[in-house]
Amino acid sequence: MIVGVPSEIKTDEYRVGMLPVGVAELTQAGHTVLLQAGAGLGSGLPDHDYLRAGAKLVASADDIFAKADLVVKVKEPQRSEYELIRPGQLVFTYFHFAADDTLTKAMMDSGATCLAYETLRDASGQLPLLTPMSEVAGRMSIQEGAKYLERPQMGRGILLGGVPGVAPAHITILGGGVVGANAAKIAAGFQADVAILDVNLDRLRYLDDVMPANVNTLYSDRHNIVEQLERADLVIGSVLIPGARAPNLVRAEDLRIMKSGAVVIDVAVDQGGCIETSRPTTHSEPTYIIDEVVHYCVANMPGAVGRTSTFALCNATMRWISKIAAAGMSGVLQDTGPLQSAINIHEGKIVHEAVSSAYQG
């Protein structure tokens, strides 16, 4: 199989879809890997590392999409890439179709088979390709929240951990999954006062067992959410329903009960966001203010720490890329396990139930 790795062109995206060691693994198995020149530079991976591993460098994305049987990316295809994707081609990346009808329609029209990192479930029912970037985003959310709580960034002027005689920040985390747990862990390390909300009581029991004493667990109902919004200096939105649009847990009118200069970080924005007033932003222009509440809604948070994120992602994706390359299109379509769960669109049809339910076209 010919595997193509184009440069990422989403704004402020510095990751790349494959490490040199992945290239070596594929070429040793008899596949050809085409890499767009410079694709790894944002992650500190020069072209000569890929050449030594056996990749063939090509000058443009056009060449990648024209020749590759399997295109491996990090972020969803951008508008300039839509027309490059061909019928019968396999595209393996993060898609997040539920939040983007235009992308969904474009991929249906392309005739390609779209395999989404975010819906692939392994034999144990976990989401192994979503987990590493969720870990990064969860940890980054506290880092970014601390920055935007500073007064020059229009925040409240709050130090997360406080100091002797001054109370620490109160942080509310909506969702106790991978993002939420990682956010809570970092927030706890800052000595902040943390509350984490979820509807899964078993998950709350687990978090209660493993988290430090300054992390409290609460059942996620409307009463507790409102009470927390009144107290919060920083709110982390980290709700996930795989493949589906995130539910709005924070309503637009709720902002009026929040403190002036409070910050919300909506990590779920790439799935539509769990805060009603969220809209995707970029690392270049990461925030906006509504009702005196600072909104940080960057849709590719891990892209800012490209090297860490690329290694974390590729450590997880490589085994599945190898499986897809070995199986070919027919093998992927016949698979009844994890690869089947990754297929979102095939030959113009949405084949993933959650994506189908979210599509408005």
Side-chain angles (χ1 to χ4, degrees):
M1 182 172 277
I2 299 175
V3 181
V5 184
S7 295
E8 297 296 321
I9 59 173
K10 189 179 180 79
T11 303
D12 296 317
E13 180 55 66
Y14 302 101
R15 290 171 286 184
V16 63
M18 193 176 297
L19 295 172
V21 66
V23 172
E25 184 176 322
L26 288 173
T27 55
Q28 288 167 12
H31 306 292
T32 298
V33 179
L34 305 179
L35 180 91
Q36 186 174 350
L41 293 179
S43 297
L45 297 166
D47 288 344
H48 60 75
D49 285 354
Y50 287 97
L51 286 171
R52 279 201 296 265
K56 296 182 179 180
L57 292 188
V58 297
S60 70
D62 295 45
D63 294 333
I64 296 283
F65 285 98
K67 298 175 181 176
D69 305 305
L70 167 62
V71 176
V72 176
K73 284 176 48 60
V74 177
K75 290 304 291 179
E76 72 280 356
Q78 302 300 290
R79 289 176 186 266
S80 63
E81 296 172 317
Y82 290 175
E83 63 184 21
L84 303 179
I85 298 172
R86 299 180 285 104
Q89 198 165 47
L90 290 159
V91 184
F92 195 31
T93 189
Y94 288 116
F95 281 103
H96 299 293
F97 284 122
D100 195 335
D101 283 352
T102 301
L103 171 67
T104 306
K105 179 65 163 58
M107 293 302 98
M108 291 168 67
D109 290 344
S110 74
T113 297
C114 301
L115 296 99
Y117 292 162
E118 69 270 14
T119 64
L120 188 147
R121 288 190 181 274
D122 62 20
S124 63
Q126 302 301 307
L127 301 166
L129 307 189
L130 192 60
T131 296
M133 294 304 92
S134 295
E135 291 169 335
V136 172
R139 295 177 183 216
M140 273 191 73
S141 69
I142 302 303
Q143 182 174 304
E144 297 301 312
K147 177 166 65 179
Y148 288 101
L149 274 172
E150 296 172 1
R151 188 59 188 160
Q153 310 298 330
M154 303 305 293
R156 297 197 69 225
I158 298 287
L159 183 67
L160 287 190
V163 292
V166 181
H170 182 75
I171 301 177
T172 297
I173 300 172
L174 302 174
V178 176
V179 171
N182 277 271
K185 187 184 303 182
I186 300 303
F190 273 98
Q191 302 302 311
D193 178 34
V194 184
I196 186 165
L197 288 73
D198 202 286
V199 295
N200 185 327
L201 289 174
D202 287 336
R203 181 64 176 175
L204 290 177
R205 291 186 183 103
Y206 168 77
L207 292 170
D208 187 66
D209 281 343
V210 300
M211 288 292 168
N214 56 326
V215 177
N216 296 299
T217 58
L218 290 170
Y219 187 76
S220 184
D221 58 29
R222 180 65 183 161
H223 172 80
N224 284 336
I225 290 172
V226 170
E227 186 178 72
Q228 284 295 307
L229 293 176
E230 290 176 325
R231 294 184 58 197
D233 299 299
L234 172 61
V235 176
I236 308 297
S238 60
V239 178
L240 172 70
I241 302 175
R245 191 175 182 88
N248 283 148
L249 299 186
V250 179
R251 303 169 186 171
E253 61 266 26
D254 293 340
L255 300 185
R256 293 193 284 272
I257 67 172
M258 295 181 68
K259 300 170 183 175
S260 176
V263 175
V264 296
I265 308 278
D266 197 344
V267 183
V269 70
D270 53 8
Q271 288 288 123
C274 60
I275 296 162
E276 188 176 3
T277 47
S278 293
R279 56 176 171 79
T281 61
T282 66
H283 288 291
S284 300
E285 297 182 30
T287 63
Y288 57 93
I289 298 174
I290 298 177
D291 289 338
E292 300 183 339
V293 174
V294 180
H295 291 59
Y296 176 101
C297 306
V298 176
N300 63 326
M301 288 176 66
V305 287
R307 187 170 178 85
T308 296
S309 296
T310 289
F311 277 81
L313 178 63
C314 293
N315 287 344
T317 58
M318 195 56 225
R319 62 174 292 209
W320 302 104
I321 293 168
S322 295
K323 284 180 179 290
I324 293 168
M329 176 68 82
S330 60
V332 169
L333 296 178
Q334 291 170 14
D335 185 86
T336 57
L339 295 183
Q340 183 66 38
S341 67
I343 303 174
N344 283 200
I345 293 175
H346 175 63
E347 292 184 345
K349 297 180 180 179
I350 300 174
V351 295
H352 192 281
E353 183 177 352
V355 174
S356 180
S357 297
Y359 180 53
Q360 302 297 313

